[in-house]
Amino acid sequence: MSEPTYTALVDDHLLFHGTLPALLHSLKAHEDHHASMPVIFEDHTGLHIDFDLRGTLDEVLSRYTPTPESTERPKASASTREITLLPRHWSWLDEHGSASATLRRLVDTARLSNIEKQTATRATEAARHFITAMAGNRPQYEEALRALYASNEDSFTNQTRTWPKAIRDTALRLATPAFTFHAQNHAQKPA
C-alpha cells in the first residue's frame, strides 16, 4: 500500500498536497509566517484532520511519523488444504491446466476485482466527505453529489466548475478512482 497523502487548503487555495512528513514541514513553515490556519484532509478518507504543531519541527515529526519498521521480508509459504468439488468442477479445472494454478488465478482475479470495487467505493466516500466540508454551501453542491454517486465524471466536472480551483481539483482527484472504475466496468459490459 502506498504512503498516505494529505491535502491542506488555506482560504480555498491549495497550500500542500503530499505525504505526512512533507505536510508537517509545510504546516510548520506556514505557521511561522502566517496567522491563517490551514484546513487539512486525509486523502484516503476525505476527512478533516488536525495536527498538534506545538514545539519544534523535530518534535512534531516525532509525534506523528512512525519509527522505521524492519525491512526483513516475510517468508512466502504455501499451505495445503483439502477442497471438495463436484466432478464437473474438476473436469473444468483439468481443461484449464493445473488445478492449483487455475484456482490461484481465479482467486487472484476475484480478489483484484473486489479490491478495485472497494477502492472505488472509498474514493466516492472520500470525495463526498471533502466536498461536504469544503463545498456544502456552494452552488451546485447537491447536483455535484448526485453526479458523484452516479459516477458521471462529465456532470461532476460541470457541476463543480464555479467552485474555487483548489476545491474543484481536489474533489476531482479524490473521485477519479471511482470514475475510472465505473467507466472501465461500463465499457466491459456487453451491449
Side-chain angles (χ1 to χ4, degrees), residues 62-85:
S62 68
R63 197 167 24 250
Y64 291 108
T65 53
T67 57
E69 295 179 21
S70 170
T71 57
E72 185 177 319
R73 294 182 60 177
K75 305 249 186 287
S77 64
S79 62
T80 304
R81 292 185 180 174
E82 181 180 332
I83 61 169
T84 305
L85 299 175

Side-chain angles (χ1 to χ4, degrees), residues 30-97:
H30 179 82
E31 179 186 59
D32 290 345
H33 298 96
H34 301 89
S36 60
M37 291 300 299
V39 180
I40 307 157
F41 294 89
E42 197 274 326
D43 291 340
H44 184 74
T45 62
L47 294 174
H48 176 259
I49 188 167
D50 287 318
F51 293 97
D52 178 1
L53 299 176
R54 291 176 296 164
T56 66
L57 177 60
D58 288 338
E59 291 170 334
V60 173
L61 287 170
S62 68
R63 197 167 24 250
Y64 291 108
T65 53
T67 57
E69 295 179 21
S70 170
T71 57
E72 185 177 319
R73 294 182 60 177
K75 305 249 186 287
S77 64
S79 62
T80 304
R81 292 185 180 174
E82 181 180 332
I83 61 169
T84 305
L85 299 175
L86 296 173
R88 69 176 182 265
H89 299 134
W90 285 113
S91 177
W92 184 87
L93 283 170
D94 289 341
E95 291 172 11
H96 290 85

Side-chain angles (χ1 to χ4, degrees), residues 58-191:
D58 288 338
E59 291 170 334
V60 173
L61 287 170
S62 68
R63 197 167 24 250
Y64 291 108
T65 53
T67 57
E69 295 179 21
S70 170
T71 57
E72 185 177 319
R73 294 182 60 177
K75 305 249 186 287
S77 64
S79 62
T80 304
R81 292 185 180 174
E82 181 180 332
I83 61 169
T84 305
L85 299 175
L86 296 173
R88 69 176 182 265
H89 299 134
W90 285 113
S91 177
W92 184 87
L93 283 170
D94 289 341
E95 291 172 11
H96 290 85
S98 160
S100 292
T102 302
L103 285 171
R104 284 192 300 273
R105 278 193 307 274
L106 289 171
V107 168
D108 285 343
T109 300
R111 277 183 57 243
L112 285 175
S113 176
N114 193 34
I115 289 169
E116 290 169 354
K117 185 175 183 178
Q118 289 173 348
T119 299
T121 300
R122 183 210 41 83
T124 299
E125 288 304 302
R128 178 185 64 85
H129 287 297
F130 176 78
I131 66 173
T132 298
M134 293 303 294
N137 61 348
R138 295 187 188 276
Q140 306 305 109
Y141 163 74
E142 291 179 6
E143 292 82 356
L145 205 54
R146 280 193 283 278
L148 173 66
Y149 278 100
S151 297
N152 186 334
E153 184 174 5
D154 292 337
S155 178
F156 183 81
T157 302
N158 186 46
Q159 300 303 332
T160 60
R161 75 182 180 285
T162 62
W163 295 357
K165 180 177 176 20
I167 294 173
R168 183 180 65 238
D169 291 351
T170 301
L172 184 58
R173 178 174 44 79
L174 294 177
T176 293
F179 293 143
T180 302
F181 172 79
H182 291 288
Q184 289 172 344
N185 283 334
H186 184 70
Q188 293 175 357
K189 290 183 179 176

